[in-house]
Every structure is written in structure tokens, then in C-alpha cells.
Amino acid sequence: LAWQRFPCVLKAGHCHGGKATAKLDNPAALQDAAGLLCGTGLSESTSYCSLEPYIDAKFDVHIQKIGGNYKAFMRKSISGNWKTNQGSAMLEQIPMTEKYKSWIDEVSELFGSMEVCGIAVIVSKEGKEFIISASDSTFPLMGDTQEEDRRQIADLVVGRMQNVCRPSMLTKATSRTSISSRGGSPTEENPPVPIGSRPAPVGGGPPPIPERTTPGVGSIGRHGSISSQSGEPPEQPMDKAPTLNSVGRRDSQ
């Protein structure tokens, strides 16, 4: 690893929340950290690390977007830890500025118009702002409005599910309406021809199980109207109690 600016921050792997992150003050510390990474035994194709300049942060800002609701929180460490998300910190909700809103909207558009996303910003002691990470729905909820945020996320998900699932339900309802508008049951004029019919049972036993065919529109109504069109008297109740086999076959039909 070749790096010239110190101190620097080394981040390894997919960890977040301040884990697998180290502040390195000189080249010797960097080489020691590089040796530790090589000794972990991870394959080169599934592991990575990154180096970035260390920013002496005054505080950090977390911006979140949930649908059309935007919020910003300022977090300042009071324990002296260089990681603002470690140790004790003071959290305060701050006004959402147009600059912050434009930033998170841009991140949302970059990744397919995400409806739930967040970004983390570090503000240095000189007042400069640096965006250090962007998240999808994995960003942590903060402050006293966490329950409100959870409800907004739930409402957003339910609303999306209704919009996605409703067209198919309307299509089914339209199909049933078009069938009924033709003039009654589809089996009144053209009764179905039995496929692979079997001999009728002897002794008033349970009706045979029909052959498995691909169901079409109105197939349930056809099966239900066969007995009413045959003209045969209804089946008389059996003297003996029905067996488990006969009950199961009737239920399956």
C-alpha cells in the first residue's frame, strides 16, 4: 500500500458503524495494518480495503429520505473519540436545508430513484463538509422520531404493495364480469366434454376424481355445474358412516 498523507483512515471489508476501521499516523503503522490484513486468510476476490484522508471532525450530519419526508440530524462526540459514532455523543435534529435535500435527491437518482436512503456527512473544524457514505434502507434511525419513521416506512411499503398487486386483482374481476355478461354460466350452451372419463362408481360410492387438466377461465364453474346438468337425482345418503378415504377424496375434489 502506497500512501503519502498521514494521518489516514483504513477501512476493511463490508463492516460499518465504526468497525474494522483504524486511524494510522505514519507509514510504519500502515505497513503493520497491511500485514494484518494479509494474514486474515481471506481470498483476494472477496475482500478489499480502502484508504482515505483523516478528517478532524467537529461533528457529523446524517440526512435521511423516507418517501417525501426529509430529516437531518447532527451528532457530536462528547467522549473525545475520533470516531463520532463511537462512545457518548450528543444528537440533535437540525433544519433540512435545500443543499442537504439536493444531495440526498441526487444520491436517490443515482441508484434508481430510491424512496428510502440516507447519507453521512462529516464537518471538519474548518467548516468543510465531506460526504463519506451513502446507504439504502440500511441506514440507522435516529432521535426521538424513530417510531414515526418506522410508520412512514411501513406505510410506504404497504402503499407500494397495493399499487403493484391491485392491477392483477382488477384483471381477475374484469374476467369474471365479462364471463357473466355473456349470459349465465359458460356451461349452459356448451357443456364440457369429459377428458379421460372413468366408469361410474358402483354402489353409490364417492364420485371419481377427474383427470388433472390445465384449468382455464371458468374452470371452477364448470366442475361445479356438472352434477346440475346431468339430470340424475341427487346421491342418497349412505347407510354407513363415510370412511376416511371417501371423505378425503370428496374434499380433494
Side-chain angles (χ1 to χ4, degrees):
L1 296 176
W3 189 263
Q4 303 298 328
R5 297 177 59 183
F6 292 92
C8 65
V9 176
L10 172 68
K11 296 181 179 180
H14 298 275
C15 298
H16 55 86
K19 298 178 181 178
T21 304
K23 176 186 174 185
L24 308 175
D25 294 323
N26 50 61
L30 175 60
Q31 295 305 318
D32 290 341
L36 289 174
L37 291 177
C38 294
T40 56
L42 298 176
S43 62
E44 294 182 0
S45 60
T46 59
S47 60
Y48 74 96
C49 66
S50 64
L51 285 170
E52 60 188 49
Y54 169 71
I55 301 172
D56 192 6
K58 183 178 181 181
F59 57 88
D60 59 359
V61 177
H62 290 260
I63 309 167
Q64 67 182 38
K65 166 180 164 54
I66 303 175
N69 298 293
Y70 299 81
K71 292 179 182 177
F73 297 91
M74 180 187 69
R75 183 173 57 185
K76 184 177 182 179
S77 176
I78 58 177
S79 60
N81 197 322
W82 69 273
K83 300 178 183 179
T84 55
N85 54 2
Q86 299 288 323
S88 301
M90 179 184 65
L91 185 67
E92 177 186 355
Q93 185 172 354
I94 60 177
M96 170 63 67
T97 63
E98 286 298 325
K99 179 175 62 176
Y100 291 161
K101 185 176 183 298
S102 64
W103 286 356
I104 197 167
D105 284 340
E106 183 69 20
V107 169
S108 173
E109 292 299 326
L110 284 174
F111 296 96
S113 299
M114 291 189 298
E115 295 180 290
V116 180
C117 58
I119 58 176
V121 180
I122 284 184
V123 181
S124 68
K125 292 184 177 179
E126 292 78 17
K128 295 182 179 181
E129 297 171 317
F130 302 86
I131 300 177
I132 61 170
S133 67
S135 307
D136 54 6
S137 57
T138 59
F139 69 87
L141 300 178
M142 297 183 175
D144 299 331
T145 61
Q146 295 184 25
E147 287 301 322
E148 177 186 351
D149 295 339
R150 292 188 181 97
R151 285 195 299 269
Q152 291 175 356
I153 294 174
D155 293 341
L156 188 65
V157 172
V158 171
R160 173 57 63 87
M161 291 175 64
Q162 290 177 350
N163 292 334
V164 172
C165 299
R166 186 172 296 168
S168 61
M169 297 172 62
L170 289 175
T171 303
K172 293 180 179 179
T174 305
S175 301
R176 295 194 185 102
T177 305
S178 61
I179 291 173
S180 60
S181 63
R182 295 175 186 174
S185 173
T187 62
E188 292 178 358
E189 297 179 1
N190 299 318
V193 179
I195 301 175
S197 59
R198 301 178 182 177
V202 181
I209 300 176
E211 293 287 340
R212 294 179 62 87
T213 59
T214 304
V217 178
S219 60
I220 299 177
R222 292 177 180 176
H223 285 290
S225 60
I226 290 176
S227 60
S228 62
Q229 299 173 18
S230 60
E232 297 178 2
E235 184 179 358
Q236 299 295 329
M238 295 184 296
D239 298 334
K240 299 184 296 180
T243 62
L244 180 61
N245 185 24
S246 65
V247 173
R249 293 179 66 182
R250 288 182 178 179
D251 292 344
S252 65
Q253 186 184 18

